[in-house]
């Protein structure tokens, strides 16, 4: 038989354990398939270089929350639906904290974004996680931009931006 104090202690332990699991929701115990930036570009429906201009959090920091980001497009590497234009902005999700396995995006940050598409959505593009957690975007670096360009058969990122042909 449990004493009243013992029951309270057990309830507190279960509550704290549940809180720890919710906060540390991204527990990667097995390796995800490793894909190169080129592979991520190949399997994505759209790939752009863009700058995050606004974010909004939906929900609280738990497994049900996510961030929506407004992204100003600087370069279109690939766009199967022909809906992205440099200079325009799109809104895409889900992004969010690393604690819940999303790609973190910060206002003012320029990144290379990978998108899937779904014609039934209000916005036909969504963040594509083709390489497991954190893989919906990569930092904008010369190496990453060149990898996408080479994947398209171009020697420079500038050449890859001018063509909308599929990878």
């Amino acid at each position: 038989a449990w004493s009243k104090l013992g029951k309270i202690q057990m309830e507190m332990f279960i509550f704290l354990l549940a809180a720890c699991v919710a906060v540390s929701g991204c527990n990667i115990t097995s390796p995800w398939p490793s894909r190169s930036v080129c592979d991520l570009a190949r399997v994505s429906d759209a790939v752009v270089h863009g700058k995050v201009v606004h974010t909004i959090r939906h929900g609280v920091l738990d497994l049900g929350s996510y961030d929506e980001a407004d992204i100003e497009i600087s370069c279109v590497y690939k766009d199967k639906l022909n809906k992205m234009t440099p200079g325009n902005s799109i809104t895409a999700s889900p992004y969010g904290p690393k604690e819940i396995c999303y790609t973190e995006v910060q206002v003012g940050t320029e990144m290379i974004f990978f998108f899937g598409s779904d014609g039934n959505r209000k916005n036909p593009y969504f963040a594509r996680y083709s390489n497991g957690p954190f893989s919906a975007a990569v930092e904008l670096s010369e190496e990453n931009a060149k990898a996408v360009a080479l994947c398209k058969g171009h020697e420079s990122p500038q050449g890859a931006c001018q063509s909308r042909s599929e990878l």
Side-chain angles (χ1 to χ4, degrees), residues 41 47-49 74-79 86 112 144-167:
V47 181
V48 304
H49 155 202
S74 301
C75 166
V76 179
Y77 293 109
K78 177 180 181 180
D79 180 12
I112 296 174
N144 287 335
K146 190 169 185 177
V148 173
L150 288 173
C151 189
K152 290 190 64 175
H154 296 274
E155 290 189 27
S156 73
Q158 293 78 17
C161 286
Q162 295 170 357
S163 172
R164 291 182 141 230
S165 61
E166 293 184 13
L167 295 174

Side-chain angles (χ1 to χ4, degrees), residues 10-140:
M10 181 57 77
E11 288 172 358
M12 286 290 283
F13 173 76
I14 291 171
F15 172 78
L16 290 172
L17 181 63
C20 288
V21 168
V23 171
S24 66
C26 190
N27 184 7
I28 303 171
T29 56
S30 63
W32 288 86
S34 180
R35 293 188 177 179
S36 67
V37 171
C38 180
D39 289 338
L40 292 174
R42 270 198 195 107
V43 299
S44 297
D45 295 326
V47 181
V48 304
H49 155 202
K51 180 179 181 179
V52 179
V53 293
H54 180 260
T55 62
I56 185 168
R57 168 77 39 94
H58 296 277
V60 294
L61 182 58
D62 64 14
L63 297 180
S65 70
Y66 67 95
D67 291 346
E68 192 173 74
D70 293 335
I71 301 163
E72 187 176 276
I73 300 168
S74 301
C75 166
V76 179
Y77 293 109
K78 177 180 181 180
D79 180 12
K80 283 189 173 182
L81 297 180
N82 292 320
K83 294 190 179 275
M84 297 203 189
T85 306
N88 288 351
S89 293
I90 63 162
T91 301
S93 65
Y95 299 104
K98 290 179 181 177
E99 293 85 5
I100 55 177
C101 296
Y102 283 135
T103 298
E104 275 189 288
V105 295
Q106 303 291 328
V107 173
T109 304
E110 292 189 54
M111 303 178 86
I112 296 174
F113 295 89
F114 304 99
F115 297 105
S117 64
D118 179 354
N120 296 325
R121 294 174 176 232
K122 179 180 174 186
N123 181 349
Y125 289 105
F126 57 89
R128 182 170 186 129
Y129 289 86
S130 302
N131 199 31
F134 326 120
S135 64
V138 294
E139 77 173 297
L140 178 64

